[in-house]
Amino acid sequence: MQTLTVELGNRSYPIYIGEQLLSRPELLRRHITGRKVLVVSNETVLPLLRSSIEQALEEYDYRLLALPDGEQHKTLASLNLIYTELLNNGYDRHCTLIALGGGVVGDITGFAAATYQRGVHFIQIPTTLLAQVDSSVGGKTGVNHELGKNMIGAFYQPRCVLADISVLRTLPPRELSAGLAEVIKYGLIHMDDFFEWLETNYSRLLNLDPQAMSVAIEKSCRCKAEIVAADEHEQGVRALLNLGHTFGHAIETFVKYQGWLHGEAVGVGMLLAAEFSQRCGYLSGKDVGRIKALLENVHLPVKTPAGMGAADFLQLMARDKKVKDGAIRLVLLERIGHAIISDNYSGAALKEYLECLQQTR
Amino acid sequence: MQTLTVELGNRSYPIYIGEQLLSRPELLRRHITGRKVLVVSNETVLPLLRSSIEQALEEYDYRLLALPDGEQHKTLASLNLIYTELLNNGYDRHCTLIALGGGVVGDITGFAAATYQRGVHFIQIPTTLLAQVDSSVGGKTGVNHELGKNMIGAFYQPRCVLADISVLRTLPPRELSAGLAEVIKYGLIHMDDFFEWLETNYSRLLNLDPQAMSVAIEKSCRCKAEIVAADEHEQGVRALLNLGHTFGHAIETFVKYQGWLHGEAVGVGMLLAAEFSQRCGYLSGKDVGRIKALLENVHLPVKTPAGMGAADFLQLMARDKKVKDGAIRLVLLERIGHAIISDNYSGAALKEYLECLQQTR
């Protein structure tokens, strides 16, 4: 087992990475306060991991709550299911919430913990690769609004993150690929050597080789933990983690969070960011080709949704949280391993690129 | 004008107290960031203050939103009205929200500010006495759940509080009395000399004498600011501010937030806390009489709602946020001017007191 720390003063917390961690209840016990625990999961994950989590929590007064599965359920309504479960069962503010699931479960549960009785403890047990390398680390919590993704939320840090590599065996291949999109992201924004390692080792990851997976998760979490420690509330450098996300969120909103996984939308979004970076004179055509090849090699889509035009992109991107005084700030690539935040590009060029994209579909 | 500061490090902020403050736009201007401002008010208050706030904000790109009036609308649904207004009008995370209203408007707007795009700036312009002396100061924000009051929320501090005494002239007499309940609370928990001052000066306050009102608001806000600075997240001493609130919240939940103002429920709650303190051997019968007399003098109710029995109280009080491992912690009075937090009382005695209360109605 490896342990990383997200350094945030008195809100610092460990990320445990390894195999069979759910079978080590002492890890959870270190971070649970009070007697009462609510495990929030979803209808897909809970049946697969019910016996493991029940064993791990047998000392506690716990309940299990399964939310409906899917990004379309990351809503105020699902949040209210958690509040109602807590209130109906007399949970006070000394309870602990555990998120057992992917990014959707983690984001909703974290926001419920941030806001139930003005804040209770919570623990992240991410069960998808995407959640293990990205959404469970860093304290971004929240839900979607029908007018935009992640528009409602809070920064609220967990007490620990338990990334159990073994649970990834329960993951459908599409979810694994979606997670690899975020893994590739860390190579693109910050670590060209890791990007090269991924170009060599992607098939080991697709085959769930434990040693390779451990490297990929540890590298990703370390990169994220460093960036979050430097800029918890995304006043600056943390925005680099949104590479591909401004385009990606527009895609997810356009398809109403249905039919596309978050990582798939981010994968296409990173390719769009790379292609537009090339147009802006940053990235070489050769490197755009390497990025596209790696995305295809891990079985990620590289085309935007049918029927989604330049106007759709521009309208939806204008709602991004990084917008300041009307200007869409984009994360662009100067080169592989070095991302920048830019509003120093031509809006006309962006429009032209997106129109061109539509024609070549 | 008087200026107090709530000392919270880099989240410190001023409370401005005085007459005609809404006519001094430079006060607001100091604390607004960005161009876009959303004023959240309610259907009762907004018509009365529309022209004043419009003049104060004429330099900004502002909108006004009137929520339905009343504690029964302090819900996730009202919160969602604010999110939708913000998203429909392209508000980004550099906007400022202004709460223009009583405690309900302040609590919902503050929670919207805490959670819109994970946090935007907000300003409190409390328009009721209760909000000026209590709910606008200290950063408690949130909404009710049908199973309990203030069960969903966050600690989130405003950038400033603007307590304009002149707007209290728009207040119905019942709202004024409700506000005086919280003013009396500060005397009871912390300042016996202020309680005595209130016994002498209550009629000046009922007549909105500006000099007396200025003293009452300043004393109350100073007391609250000191307690909040010492214990922002209510780990200890801040719980004293809940004198009367555990009983009061039970009353509000029992009547479904209808027909009773928050201050009225707190007023009765303080009398119950005083009477039970006497039973526990703390407070003298004479002092209970003084408390009851002052509540009656400012036209506050001193009887619990018809049909509300001991079982109702105990069940609803068990949901209080101060409950720890099943024990209801109460704020009791050792004497006038000195409150304590106690779980060191007999549960049977509490039950007996509440049953006796029911029989003497």
Side-chain angles (χ1 to χ4, degrees):
Chain A
M1 183 181 82
Q2 298 180 76
T3 305
L4 303 176
T5 303
V6 184
E7 299 285 358
L8 290 166
N10 59 7
R11 287 169 296 109
S12 296
Y13 57 93
I15 306 169
Y16 305 114
I17 302 166
E19 293 191 85
Q20 304 297 346
L21 299 189
L22 264 179
S23 313
R24 296 177 55 181
E26 77 278 10
L27 293 176
L28 286 179
R29 232 177 274 148
R30 282 180 206 164
H31 303 284
I32 294 176
T33 52
R35 295 285 317 134
K36 298 195 90 159
V37 176
L38 178 68
V39 178
V40 181
S41 187
N42 71 36
E43 290 162 349
T44 311
V45 170
L46 188 58
L48 301 172
L49 297 175
R50 179 188 287 268
S51 65
S52 305
I53 193 74
E54 289 194 328
Q55 272 183 353
L57 293 175
E58 61 184 1
E59 284 181 22
Y60 295 93
D61 176 8
Y62 68 89
R63 297 183 68 85
L64 311 175
L65 175 67
L67 300 177
D69 188 11
E71 181 85 28
Q72 71 273 28
H73 298 292
K74 190 172 145 182
T75 58
L76 285 178
S78 294
L79 189 66
N80 206 28
L81 292 177
I82 302 177
Y83 296 140
T84 301
E85 182 78 5
L86 291 165
L87 287 166
N88 270 331
N89 294 286
Y91 280 70
D92 65 33
R93 65 182 167 194
H94 306 275
C95 69
T96 299
L97 304 195
I98 296 180
L100 180 73
V104 170
V105 164
D107 285 6
I108 300 182
T109 307
F111 190 48
T115 55
Y116 182 64
Q117 303 208 10
R118 298 198 189 92
V120 298
H121 285 185
F122 93 108
I123 288 172
Q124 291 271 19
I125 307 183
T127 62
T128 65
L129 178 60
L130 189 138
Q132 291 187 353
V133 298
D134 183 29
S135 58
S136 70
V137 175
K140 281 194 180 179
T141 72
V143 297
N144 300 328
H145 187 281
E146 58 181 1
L147 297 173
K149 189 174 153 75
N150 290 335
M151 284 294 160
I152 304 166
F155 288 100
Y156 196 71
Q157 302 293 342
R159 313 302 288 196
C160 76
V161 180
L162 202 146
D164 186 337
I165 294 173
S166 314
V167 306
L168 299 181
R169 297 202 188 99
T170 64
L171 216 57
R174 232 184 107 193
E175 294 264 4
L176 186 67
S177 296
L180 289 172
E182 299 278 2
V183 173
I184 292 168
K185 182 186 77 177
Y186 295 107
L188 287 174
I189 61 175
H190 204 54
M191 299 182 287
D192 57 344
D193 52 345
F194 182 51
F195 186 86
E196 286 168 28
W197 183 89
L198 289 168
E199 286 179 305
T200 311
N201 290 279
Y202 68 85
S203 60
R204 293 173 67 200
L205 296 173
L206 289 174
N207 292 324
L208 289 169
D209 173 305
Q211 194 270 332
M213 194 56 88
S214 176
V215 169
I217 294 173
E218 193 270 337
K219 284 263 188 202
S220 299
C221 285
R222 188 178 296 278
C223 181
K224 177 131 190 196
E226 283 172 10
I227 289 175
V228 167
D231 177 25
E232 183 179 7
H233 291 150
E234 196 166 312
Q235 308 292 309
V237 67
R238 183 166 181 170
L240 294 177
L241 293 172
N242 292 311
L243 174 67
H245 283 62
T246 303
F247 295 104
H249 286 169
I251 291 172
E252 289 183 277
T253 306
F254 180 79
V255 299
K256 300 192 168 58
Y257 311 117
Q258 286 176 46
W260 282 67
L261 296 172
H262 174 66
E264 292 172 337
V266 167
V268 173
M270 291 194 297
L271 183 59
L272 301 192
E275 288 179 351
F276 185 60
S277 298
Q278 183 191 2
R279 286 210 172 205
C280 294
Y282 295 126
L283 199 63
S284 74
K286 177 168 165 263
D287 282 345
V288 173
R290 286 172 65 196
I291 295 167
K292 189 172 180 187
L294 182 54
L295 293 171
E296 288 177 326
N297 281 338
V298 300
H299 312 312
L300 282 164
V302 293
K303 282 199 182 306
T304 55
M308 184 170 184
D312 298 314
F313 268 106
L314 291 170
Q315 191 203 339
L316 294 169
M317 289 164 69
R319 292 204 195 124
D320 189 84
K321 288 194 291 304
K322 287 185 298 304
V323 165
K324 186 169 180 180
D325 293 329
I328 304 171
R329 288 184 297 161
L330 286 176
V331 183
L332 299 178
L333 290 171
E334 271 196 1
R335 58 179 187 277
I336 287 175
H338 190 74
I340 55 166
I341 299 156
S342 173
D343 53 9
N344 180 29
Y345 61 84
S346 147
L350 177 62
K351 185 159 177 281
E352 192 185 291
Y353 164 65
L354 289 167
E355 281 165 353
C356 164
L357 191 70
Q358 196 175 6
Q359 284 154 22
T360 58
R361 267 194 64 89
Chain B
M1 184 181 81
Q2 298 179 77
T3 305
L4 303 176
T5 303
V6 184
E7 300 285 358
L8 290 166
N10 60 7
R11 286 168 295 110
S12 296
Y13 56 93
I15 306 168
Y16 304 114
I17 302 166
E19 293 192 87
Q20 305 295 347
L21 299 188
L22 265 179
S23 313
R24 296 177 54 182
E26 78 278 10
L27 293 176
L28 286 179
R29 232 178 275 147
R30 283 180 206 163
H31 303 282
I32 295 176
T33 51
R35 295 285 315 134
K36 297 194 90 157
V37 176
L38 178 68
V39 178
V40 180
S41 188
N42 70 36
E43 290 163 348
T44 310
V45 171
L46 189 58
L48 301 171
L49 297 175
R50 178 188 288 269
S51 65
S52 304
I53 193 73
E54 289 195 328
Q55 272 183 355
L57 294 175
E58 63 184 1
E59 284 181 19
Y60 295 92
D61 176 6
Y62 69 88
R63 298 183 68 84
L64 311 176
L65 175 66
L67 301 176
D69 188 9
E71 181 85 30
Q72 71 273 29
H73 298 292
K74 190 171 144 182
T75 58
L76 285 177
S78 294
L79 189 67
N80 206 28
L81 291 177
I82 302 177
Y83 297 139
T84 302
E85 181 78 6
L86 291 164
L87 288 165
N88 269 331
N89 294 287
Y91 279 70
D92 65 33
R93 65 181 167 194
H94 305 277
C95 69
T96 299
L97 305 196
I98 296 179
L100 179 72
V104 171
V105 164
D107 285 5
I108 301 182
T109 308
F111 190 49
T115 55
Y116 183 64
Q117 303 207 10
R118 298 198 190 91
V120 299
H121 285 187
F122 94 109
I123 288 172
Q124 290 271 21
I125 307 184
T127 62
T128 64
L129 178 59
L130 189 139
Q132 290 186 354
V133 298
D134 183 28
S135 59
S136 69
V137 175
K140 280 194 179 178
T141 72
V143 296
N144 300 328
H145 187 281
E146 58 180 2
L147 297 174
K149 188 172 154 80
N150 291 334
M151 284 294 160
I152 305 165
F155 288 100
Y156 196 72
Q157 303 293 341
R159 312 304 286 194
C160 75
V161 179
L162 201 147
D164 187 336
I165 294 174
S166 315
V167 306
L168 299 181
R169 297 202 186 99
T170 64
L171 215 56
R174 231 182 108 194
E175 295 264 5
L176 186 66
S177 295
L180 288 173
E182 299 278 2
V183 173
I184 292 168
K185 182 186 77 179
Y186 295 108
L188 286 175
I189 61 174
H190 204 53
M191 298 183 288
D192 56 344
D193 53 344
F194 182 51
F195 186 85
E196 286 168 25
W197 183 89
L198 289 168
E199 287 179 305
T200 312
N201 290 279
Y202 68 86
S203 60
R204 292 173 67 199
L205 296 173
L206 289 174
N207 291 323
L208 289 170
D209 173 305
Q211 193 270 331
M213 196 54 91
S214 176
V215 169
I217 295 173
E218 193 269 337
K219 285 265 188 201
S220 300
C221 285
R222 188 179 297 278
C223 181
K224 177 133 190 194
E226 283 172 9
I227 289 174
V228 167
D231 178 24
E232 183 180 8
H233 291 150
E234 197 166 311
Q235 308 293 310
V237 66
R238 184 166 179 170
L240 294 178
L241 294 172
N242 292 311
L243 175 67
H245 284 61
T246 303
F247 295 103
H249 286 168
I251 292 174
E252 290 183 276
T253 306
F254 180 79
V255 300
K256 300 192 167 63
Y257 312 117
Q258 287 175 46
W260 281 68
L261 296 172
H262 173 65
E264 292 172 337
V266 167
V268 173
M270 291 193 298
L271 183 59
L272 301 192
E275 288 179 351
F276 186 60
S277 298
Q278 184 191 359
R279 287 209 169 207
C280 293
Y282 295 127
L283 199 63
S284 73
K286 177 169 166 258
D287 281 347
V288 173
R290 287 172 65 195
I291 294 168
K292 188 172 181 188
L294 182 54
L295 294 171
E296 288 178 326
N297 280 338
V298 301
H299 313 313
L300 282 165
V302 292
K303 284 202 180 303
T304 55
M308 184 170 185
D312 299 314
F313 268 106
L314 291 170
Q315 191 202 339
L316 294 169
M317 287 165 70
R319 294 203 193 123
D320 189 85
K321 288 194 291 305
K322 286 185 297 305
V323 166
K324 187 170 182 183
D325 293 328
I328 304 171
R329 287 185 295 162
L330 286 176
V331 184
L332 298 178
L333 290 172
E334 272 197 0
R335 56 178 188 276
I336 287 175
H338 190 72
I340 55 165
I341 299 157
S342 174
D343 53 10
N344 180 28
Y345 60 85
S346 146
L350 178 62
K351 187 159 175 279
E352 191 185 292
Y353 164 63
L354 289 167
E355 281 165 354
C356 163
L357 192 70
Q358 196 174 3
Q359 284 154 18
T360 59
R361 268 194 64 91

